[in-house]
């Protein structure tokens, strides 16, 4: 009980800050109250109880500001609110609402602190909380970092509880019956005599009283929707073709646009000849835009065809022309002191220990990777003299608004961003180049709505990629144990690049993402060091499902596997022995039990690999079983164990782990983005295939609930997937593959 | 400039369109007729998001020039079933909570429906063969497999 109370009270402050504009509580640096984004579009007779719930005579609207990229965020947010508000979420309207600074996302910044997630000490907690401040200052309405659940778990339930109690208070004042004599049920206040007053009938009265903020959250045992298998609210629409994605959005009189921008991303156009394109059927206009050329036509296909017919001479790109040159620059900074970015882990005496006994050394490499969500980037924009309206799927609606305001010269308040359901993102929709292109085109078409859809080719050659990286691993073993583990990672810095691009702000200091997923692992090795080296900024890079851990999970766990085998220890037993965190150790033990680790695999040419990564606070262990067939590697079976604390939605959790494991393995199998003549070479799925259904193994998922803190599961399945596959391939073939994708050296069937 | 008036039948309704015969069916459906269930994913027959039925068989609508359609009948996910009256495959998809972002699912469902209409009791290998041309970047494959199997069971009436 004590624990629940502290958490509740602490987070309640955060919750109420968003509700009453109370960031001026004094705990934070931001003194300016954050404006309630709902008030501006409220009509008379409507009452805004909190920024997450809107009730009027016609019904209840739940505003779920964290974008849904397919991970089920809308359903989850709605359920968190509904649990306390006492309504059936299926009866409410659910909308991402208008972006507003009150929807700041505190949790997304939490894991950028210099403390590993397993370190729950007082200082770590303080700094982690402190990170809410810059998030708030920057008014970041971002969806990312698997933060929707941790950020909303208390905040959204609080919003629901405050709304419920305030509605009860309104009923109390109307009936003269004390609030504590009243109950609620399914969207209504229940009077002691069984009479019901619908929330919708109390909305106006509730608007005129002070919100009741002294509320308690319901204990887990009383949950109705949370912790149980439920159906996602968007499932029926998505299985009947009726879900309306950004690409399906339509306005009367809308025109269609296509663009071709310099594939040397960021460089301009030298000259172009659109003579042929201008005469093609349906083409209304060809115009130059920032770094490219746009076509406006009456149909998407016609616009694309005309865009292809333009003869364009590009300026050379602003980075090295080929992948070979790019990786030379990365290799050059590896282990070069003057390029050292940070060393957040340095235990024992690594230098000395490396000289003691036989030295193991290996180099690892991961490629640049596109996000390539199934729905290509698109945006529909209508610009008039007074305002700019934008319909697009985005994880960063506020940045989109600010950038469009700057571009159009309009006041921010006159830029309206309507977030559309997304056909995937994996981080691509943390960028807004395509939206700004659409705004630029719409400015030339004032009064006419413009829908811009990137062709798959435009999408995959203008992505902000998962950074390529190179790592050097060294180590020693003594008496059958890993004695020294030393990992150096070199890549370009990701966060400063992104902040600079989106916020026009330079972020000084180290970039933790260079070693995230490696420096912060819960192991105790006598001599243990992880160092990040910063390569220059080259091709544009950004967050890709699981961010830094996507590459570092592979580096860290593969090196660990190699050292354990060198020590002739058992891969699972030695990881368990080295593990210093209880929650993580139980995850490893569980995956051993599920996979019958100690029993021999049936059949020849079989191999089994285990891998572990702690990312976004979620310890995740995977065991993969493969067969080395004549034609190549067959992935037979995957066991995955995670610990997210309380599981709020077991069905969606399993789906997210399936998705994460497949995403991690698919790219490790056969995907990379390489550059030639400044341009990304893989421009469609034929060259970036991923996993197909026939290759998908049986996957078993177990979620433990030993962790103290509740966590999101959109990303943690990704990092250990690739190393578990690599370790299994080694077990089956004796071939250690240290560079991704694996298919450069081995086939898959 | 070639212009061609033609009549096409989609979901049992006849439309007259005035487009280049080489325009892919996908874009006629989406931009000319406003039928947006079929999705664009790749335009080169690699992903299957655009899958529709032509005379009952799964076809990549991004690859079929509308001028080649002749008198064939097109049906899209919208013609397969609606939220109030689901096709067996859609029912199974919802029971198994298959969709994540959902963008590929119109195509997956059309592909599965076509498979089951010709082979109501497919083996694992037959499911693999029929469904492997449809990409899902979200990784919903394990549930796709399960949903195809349970739809097959429903069709057998067991
Ligand atoms: S859009 Fe037709 S197969 Fe991809
Ligand atoms: S559900 Fe997102 S691509 Fe398949």
């Amino acid at each position: 009980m004590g624990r629940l109370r502290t958490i509740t009270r602490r987070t309640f402050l955060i919750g109420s800050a968003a509700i009453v504009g109370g960031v001026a509580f004094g705990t934070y640096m931001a003194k300016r109250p954050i404006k309630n984004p709902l008030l501006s579009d409220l009509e008379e007779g409507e009452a805004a109880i909190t920024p997450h719930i809107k009730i009027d005579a016609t019904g209840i609207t739940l505003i779920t500001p964290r974008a849904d990229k397919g991970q089920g965020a809308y359903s989850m947010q709605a359920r968190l609110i509904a649990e306390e508000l006492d309504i059936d979420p299926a009866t409410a309207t659910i909308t991402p609402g208008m972006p507003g600074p009150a929807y700041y996302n505190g949790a997304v910044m939490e894991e950028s602190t210099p403390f590993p997630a397993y370190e729950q000490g007082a200082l770590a907690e303080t700094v982690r909380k402190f990170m809410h401040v810059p998030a708030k200052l920057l008014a970041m309405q971002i969806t990312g970092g698997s933060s929707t659940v941790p950020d909303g778990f208390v905040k959204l339930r609080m919003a629901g509880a405050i709304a419920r109690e305030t509605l009860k208070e309104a009923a109390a004042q109307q009936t003269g019956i004390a609030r504590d004599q009243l109950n609620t049920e399914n969207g209504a206040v229940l009077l002691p005599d069984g009479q019901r007053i619908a929330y919708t009938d109390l909305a106006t009265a509730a608007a005129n009283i002070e919100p009741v903020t002294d509320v308690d959250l319901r204990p887990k045992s009383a949950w109705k929707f949370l912790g149980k298998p439920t159906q996602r609210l968007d499932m029926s629409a998505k299985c009947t073709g009726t879900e309306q994605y950004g690409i399906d959005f339509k306005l009367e009189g809308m025109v269609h646009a296509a663009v071709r921008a310099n594939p040397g991303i960021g460089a301009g156009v030298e000259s172009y000849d659109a003579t042929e394109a201008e005469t093609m059927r349906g083409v209304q206009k060809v115009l130059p835009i920032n770094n490219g050329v746009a076509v406006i036509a009456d149909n998407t296909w016609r616009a694309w065809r005309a865009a292809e017919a333009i003869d364009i001479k590009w300026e050379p790109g602003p980075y090295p022309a080929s992948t070979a040159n790019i990786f030379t620059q990365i290799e050059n900074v590896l282990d070069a002191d003057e390029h050292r970015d940070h060393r957040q882990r340095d235990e024992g005496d690594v230098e000395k220990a490396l000289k003691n006994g036989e030295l193991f050394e290996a180099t690892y490499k991961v490629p640049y990777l596109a996000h390539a969500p199934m729905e290509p980037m698109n945006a529909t924009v209508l610009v008039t003299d007074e305002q700019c309206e934008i319909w697009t799927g985005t994880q960063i609606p506020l940045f989109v608004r600010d950038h469009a305001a700057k571009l159009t010269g309009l006041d921010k308040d006159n830029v309206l961003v309507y977030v559309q359901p997304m056909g995937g993102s994996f981080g691509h929709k943390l960028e807004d180049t395509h939206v700004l292109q659409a705004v630029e085109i719409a400015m030339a078409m004032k009064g006419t709505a413009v829908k811009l859809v990137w062709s798959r080719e435009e999408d995959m050659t203008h992505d902000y990629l998962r950074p390529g990286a190179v790592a050097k691993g060294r180590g020693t073993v003594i008496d059958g144990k890993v004695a020294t583990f030393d990992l150096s990672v070199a890549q370009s810095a990701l966060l400063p690049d992104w902040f600079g691009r989106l916020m026009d702000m330079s972020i000084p200091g180290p970039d933790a993402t260079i070693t995230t997923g490696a420096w912060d692992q819960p192991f105790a090795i006598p001599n243990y060091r992880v160092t990040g080296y910063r390569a220059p900024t080259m091709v544009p890079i950004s967050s890709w499902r699981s961010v830094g851990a996507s590459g570092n999970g592979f580096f860290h766990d593969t090196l660990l596997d190699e050292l354990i085998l060198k020590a002739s220890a058992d891969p699972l037993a030695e990881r368990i022995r080295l593990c210093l965190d209880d929650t993580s150790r139980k995850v490893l033990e569980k995956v051993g039990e599920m996979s019958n680790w100690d029993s021999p695999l049936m059949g020849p040419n079989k191999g089994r690999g285990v891998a572990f990564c702690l990312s976004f606070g979620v310890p995740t262990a995977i065991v993969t079983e493969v067969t080395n067939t004549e034609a190549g590697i067959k992935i037979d079976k995957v066991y995955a164990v995670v610990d997210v604390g309380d599981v709020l939605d077991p069905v969606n959790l399993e789906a997210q782990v399936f998705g994460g494991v497949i995403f991690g393995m698919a790219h490790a199998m056969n995907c990379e983005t390489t550059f030639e003549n400044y341009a990304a070479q893989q421009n469609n799925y034929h060259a970036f295939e991923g996993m197909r259904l026939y290759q998908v193994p049986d996957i078993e998922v177990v979620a433990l609930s030993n962790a103290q803190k509740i966590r999101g599961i959109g990303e943690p399945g990704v990092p250990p997937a690739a190393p578990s596959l690599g370790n299994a391939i080694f077990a089956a073939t004796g071939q250690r593959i240290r560079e991704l994708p694996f298919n450069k050296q081995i086939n898959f069937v | 400039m070639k212009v061609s008036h033609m009549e096409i039948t989609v979901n049992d309704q006849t439309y007259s369109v005035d487009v280049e015969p080489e325009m892919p069916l996908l874009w006629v459906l989406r931009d000319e007729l406003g039928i947006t269930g079929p999705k664009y994913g790749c335009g080169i027959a690699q992903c299957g998001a655009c899958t529709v039925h032509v005379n009952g068989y799964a076809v990549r609508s991004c690859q079929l020039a509308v001028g080649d359609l002749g008198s064939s009948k097109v049906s899209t996910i919208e013609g397969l079933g609606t939220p109030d009256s689901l096709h067996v495959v859609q029912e199974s998809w919802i029971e198994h909570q298959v969709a994540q972002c959902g963008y590929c699912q119109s195509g997956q469902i059309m592909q599965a429906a076509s498979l089951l209409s010709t082979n109501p009791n497919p083996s694992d290998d037959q499911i693999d063969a029929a469904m492997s041309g449809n990409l899902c970047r979200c990784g919903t494959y394990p549930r796709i497999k399960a949903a195809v199997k349970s739809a097959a069971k429903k069709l057998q009436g067991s």
Side-chain angles (χ1 to χ4, degrees):
Chain A
M1 194 59 212
R3 203 185 128 241
L4 181 67
R5 282 228 160 253
T6 0
I7 290 176
T8 307
R9 207 166 302 125
R10 189 189 77 211
T11 323
F12 162 69
L13 292 175
I14 295 163
S16 67
I19 295 154
V20 294
V23 249
F25 271 110
T27 330
Y28 302 108
M29 283 159 62
K31 289 263 193 275
R32 192 167 52 90
I34 286 180
K35 202 167 122 195
N36 184 334
L38 267 192
L39 294 176
S40 59
D41 68 328
L42 278 180
E43 293 179 20
E44 224 174 310
E46 287 184 318
I49 307 287
T50 78
H52 292 292
I53 300 152
K54 198 166 103 174
I55 303 178
D56 65 14
T58 63
I60 300 174
T61 305
L62 306 182
I63 297 107
T64 56
R66 299 279 158 262
D68 205 315
K69 310 156 274 181
Q71 82 284 39
Y74 286 164
S75 282
M76 179 49 74
Q77 295 172 89
R79 240 177 256 148
L80 286 165
I81 302 171
E83 186 67 64
E84 290 291 339
L85 183 57
D86 243 347
I87 60 163
D88 175 354
T91 62
T93 306
I94 297 168
T95 160
M98 299 301 287
Y103 300 127
Y104 70 88
N105 184 351
V108 80
M109 296 294 281
E110 275 197 351
E111 300 311 331
S112 312
T113 61
F115 298 93
Y118 60 83
E119 172 70 65
Q120 300 284 350
L123 182 60
E125 279 295 300
T126 310
V127 174
R128 218 173 270 129
K129 258 186 282 170
F130 187 69
M131 293 306 285
H132 285 290
V133 175
K136 223 182 284 189
L137 281 173
L138 302 168
M140 292 207 262
Q141 186 184 328
I142 304 171
T143 308
S146 289
S147 62
T148 299
V149 166
D151 189 61
F153 181 55
V154 176
K155 201 151 74 183
L156 294 178
R157 286 187 302 146
M158 243 352 173
I162 289 169
R164 182 194 69 226
E165 289 306 311
T166 308
L167 288 158
K168 275 165 73 181
E169 181 57 31
Q173 293 186 12
Q174 235 171 55
T175 59
I177 304 170
R179 178 158 59 92
D180 60 9
Q181 301 294 304
L182 301 173
N183 272 311
T184 54
E185 190 188 81
N186 216 356
V189 174
L190 278 190
L191 306 187
D193 64 0
Q195 204 192 312
R196 298 166 64 93
I197 312 179
Y199 288 172
T200 46
D201 294 335
L202 290 165
T204 315
N208 293 321
I209 58 176
E210 275 292 300
V212 180
T213 53
D214 182 19
V215 295
D216 280 325
L217 291 177
R218 289 177 176 168
K220 209 159 88 178
S221 53
W223 285 350
K224 275 196 228 140
F225 306 114
L226 300 173
K228 304 190 169 65
T230 41
Q231 191 180 304
R232 257 172 71 161
L233 301 169
D234 52 0
M235 195 52 72
S236 156
K238 285 177 171 177
C239 296
T240 50
T242 49
E243 178 82 322
Q244 296 284 300
Y245 299 88
I247 201 170
D248 303 323
F249 186 75
K250 202 173 169 177
L251 281 178
E252 216 38 62
M254 171 177 92
V255 293
H256 298 262
V259 296
R260 274 178 64 207
N262 194 329
I265 299 160
V269 174
E270 230 170 69
S271 65
Y272 73 92
D273 177 358
T275 320
E276 192 196 335
E278 275 162 348
T279 66
M280 289 169 77
R281 182 175 174 193
V283 173
Q284 298 179 6
K285 207 180 209 159
V286 175
L287 71 156
I289 57 165
N290 186 31
N291 298 334
V293 184
V295 175
I296 295 158
D298 58 359
N299 164 303
T300 309
W301 178 75
R302 289 186 184 127
W304 285 353
R305 273 234 300 196
E308 277 162 35
I310 305 173
D311 188 18
I312 312 178
K313 288 203 175 44
W314 304 116
E315 286 175 359
Y319 43 77
S322 75
T323 297
N325 304 146
I326 290 166
F327 271 97
T328 306
Q329 300 238 27
I330 299 174
E331 278 151 16
N332 285 344
V333 304
L334 187 63
D335 284 331
D337 278 344
E338 66 274 28
H339 295 290
R340 190 203 288 179
D341 190 73
H342 59 269
R343 177 174 282 165
Q344 294 197 106
R345 184 158 214 157
D346 192 1
E347 285 153 22
D349 186 340
V350 171
E351 287 302 326
K352 199 169 136 204
L354 285 174
K355 294 189 187 92
N356 208 345
E358 195 193 331
L359 176 68
F360 172 86
E361 259 187 307
T363 305
Y364 306 90
K365 191 170 164 181
V366 297
Y368 287 85
L369 285 170
H371 299 88
M374 287 289 283
E375 179 194 18
M377 300 297 112
N378 63 81
T380 304
V381 179
L382 175 60
V383 175
T384 61
D385 286 333
E386 294 78 40
Q387 65 176 24
C388 170
E389 291 180 277
I390 300 172
W391 293 263
T392 193
T394 180
Q395 295 174 253
I396 48 163
L398 281 178
F399 293 146
V400 168
R401 182 200 64 183
D402 294 357
H403 298 162
K406 201 167 162 195
L407 195 59
T408 54
L410 289 166
D411 207 62
K412 284 180 188 178
D413 290 343
N414 295 325
V415 177
L416 305 170
V417 181
Y418 310 97
V419 178
Q420 304 297 303
M422 285 175 247
S425 170
F426 315 118
H428 200 168
K429 289 163 185 166
L430 285 164
E431 303 290 340
D432 62 3
T433 316
H434 56 292
V435 186
L436 298 180
Q437 288 175 343
V439 172
E440 220 184 322
I441 301 165
M443 285 165 70
M445 296 291 289
K446 272 200 182 149
T448 302
V450 175
K451 175 158 150 188
L452 169 67
V453 177
W454 276 4
S455 65
R456 174 58 54 198
E457 288 77 13
E458 190 69 18
D459 182 292
M460 285 184 65
T461 53
H462 294 83
D463 197 353
Y464 292 81
L465 306 166
R466 194 285 296 272
V470 177
K472 183 86 174 187
R474 296 178 196 80
T476 62
V477 300
I478 292 173
D479 296 338
K481 292 174 184 156
V482 178
T484 315
F485 180 109
D486 182 26
L487 183 70
S488 303
V489 182
Q491 67 168 55
S492 303
L494 190 157
L495 284 181
D497 215 33
W498 188 78
F499 278 110
R501 193 159 60 234
L502 292 183
M503 270 179 265
D504 216 3
M505 179 189 267
S506 77
I507 301 286
D511 178 25
T513 64
I514 298 175
T515 61
T516 310
W519 78 273
D520 47 3
Q521 296 307 296
F523 295 109
I525 299 169
N527 307 288
Y528 194 5
R529 185 166 79 175
V530 179
T531 316
Y533 296 88
R534 189 191 286 218
T537 302
M538 294 180 280
V539 289
I541 52 175
S542 185
S543 296
W544 185 93
R545 195 173 187 177
S546 81
V547 201
S550 69
N552 288 321
F554 175 71
F555 294 151
H556 187 278
D557 193 275
T558 311
L559 174 60
L560 187 58
D561 203 64
E562 295 212 62
L563 292 172
I564 290 173
L565 292 174
K566 198 169 152 44
S568 306
D570 175 78
L572 180 64
E574 181 68 354
R575 279 175 179 80
I576 291 171
R577 188 189 68 82
L578 291 170
C579 188
L580 53 68
D581 169 53
D582 267 348
T583 310
S584 301
R585 189 180 313 105
K586 286 176 185 147
V587 163
L588 280 162
E589 285 164 356
K590 182 73 193 171
V591 86
E593 184 190 310
M594 268 169 85
S595 64
N596 273 317
W597 180 268
D598 293 326
S599 74
L601 278 173
M602 303 294 284
N605 301 317
K606 293 208 181 266
R608 177 152 64 188
V610 61
F612 174 91
C613 188
L614 172 69
S615 67
F616 305 92
V618 180
T620 306
I622 295 181
V623 166
T624 298
E625 295 173 2
V626 302
T627 307
N628 183 24
T629 74
E630 300 253 307
I633 294 291
K634 167 110 191 87
I635 307 172
D636 300 316
K637 178 93 200 186
V638 170
Y639 303 89
V641 181
V642 301
D643 194 325
V644 293
D646 288 331
V647 176
L648 297 183
D649 180 346
V651 179
N652 198 42
L653 176 136
E654 186 197 58
Q656 289 303 305
V657 177
F658 282 165
V661 168
I662 290 172
F663 199 78
M665 279 193 190
H667 292 91
M669 282 162 67
N670 59 31
C671 295
E672 62 177 334
T673 300
T674 58
F675 286 80
E676 210 49 71
N677 197 19
Y678 308 106
Q681 297 297 288
Q682 295 72 18
N683 64 4
N684 208 321
Y685 293 127
H686 66 287
F688 201 86
E689 207 173 2
M691 212 187 264
R692 297 216 174 247
L693 184 121
Y694 75 95
Q695 296 170 310
V696 174
D698 219 29
I699 306 176
E700 261 179 60
V701 178
V702 166
L704 302 178
S705 294
N706 297 312
Q708 301 262 304
K709 241 186 172 167
I710 194 148
R711 302 284 189 173
I713 192 62
E715 301 173 89
V718 179
S724 79
L725 177 56
N727 296 343
I729 292 172
F730 178 76
T733 65
Q735 187 180 356
R736 178 61 75 175
I737 307 179
R738 301 191 175 99
E739 179 178 346
L740 297 182
F742 292 126
N743 76 335
K744 286 184 162 180
Q745 296 171 57
I746 208 159
N747 290 328
F748 288 91
V749 293
Chain B
M1 192 189 308
K2 267 184 301 170
V3 177
S4 174
H5 295 269
M6 51 191 117
E7 301 224 310
I8 62 172
T9 311
V10 184
N11 301 332
D12 293 328
Q13 225 183 300
T14 308
Y15 297 87
S16 82
V17 291
D18 175 8
V19 295
E20 302 85 324
E22 66 267 33
M23 187 181 288
L25 174 62
L26 174 66
W27 294 108
V28 177
L29 293 171
R30 291 185 54 83
D31 283 3
E32 302 293 315
L33 305 182
I35 298 172
T36 53
K39 301 295 186 222
Y40 165 78
C42 70
I44 59 164
Q46 287 292 310
C47 75
C50 64
T51 304
V52 299
H53 291 175
V54 175
N55 294 339
Y57 293 100
V59 166
R60 306 290 184 243
S61 66
C62 71
Q63 296 302 300
L64 181 65
V66 65
D68 293 341
L69 201 53
S71 59
S72 303
K73 291 190 184 350
V74 177
S75 55
T76 68
I77 182 96
E78 288 93 339
L80 190 72
T82 61
D84 301 321
S85 154
L86 297 167
H87 183 272
V88 169
V89 172
Q90 291 169 315
E91 248 173 56
S92 300
W93 243 249
I94 292 171
E95 276 160 29
H96 286 270
Q97 298 273 296
V98 174
Q100 289 187 30
C101 84
Y103 193 80
C104 71
Q105 301 297 344
S106 295
Q108 306 277 7
I109 289 169
M110 293 306 275
Q111 188 72 36
S114 165
L115 164 69
L116 294 175
S117 73
T118 51
N119 179 358
N121 190 18
S123 66
D124 284 8
D125 283 352
Q126 287 167 329
I127 294 174
D128 283 358
M131 299 301 299
S132 283
N134 290 69
L135 269 185
C136 174
R137 294 281 295 157
C138 296
T140 63
Y141 300 118
R143 289 191 180 171
I144 290 176
K145 285 195 206 181
V148 171
K149 286 184 194 173
S150 73
K153 273 212 188 97
K154 285 184 194 211
L155 286 170
Q156 323 280 301
S158 68

